[in-house]
Amino acid sequence: NDEHDRHVMQYLLETIRPQFSEATWRAFVRFALEDAPAEEVADELTISVNSVYIAKSRALTKLRQLGNGLIDG
């Protein structure tokens, strides 16, 4: 159910967080979770737009690996 999925997602996010630098994590959160435009995130964090996309990709890869089978979908 949705409540279970939200709980699992929160657990997964908390579990992978220590694996990323502050800038990478912030880029992932702003771009992937808060839907901020990549260009805006890059400007805020003084990183390249490509780095924003890479941050999202790396975090989502970790989430998929860790969460495989835990969330219905």
Side-chain angles (χ1 to χ4, degrees), residues 1 12-13 22 33 36 38 42-43 48 54 60 63 70 73:
N1 67 29
L12 294 173
L13 289 169
E22 184 63 31
L33 303 181
D43 286 345
S48 70
I54 290 170
L60 289 178
L63 285 171
L70 294 179

Side-chain angles (χ1 to χ4, degrees), residues 8-50:
V8 171
M9 181 56 75
Q10 186 62 41
Y11 165 78
L12 294 173
L13 289 169
E14 290 171 4
T15 300
I16 69 165
R17 169 60 188 99
Q19 299 176 41
F20 296 96
S21 70
E22 184 63 31
T24 299
W25 187 253
R26 191 73 195 128
F28 165 67
V29 169
R30 290 281 295 129
F31 183 55
L33 303 181
E34 297 176 357
D35 292 324
E39 295 80 7
E40 180 180 309
V41 175
D43 286 345
E44 288 173 7
L45 300 174
T46 60
I47 60 176
S48 70
V49 172
N50 191 52

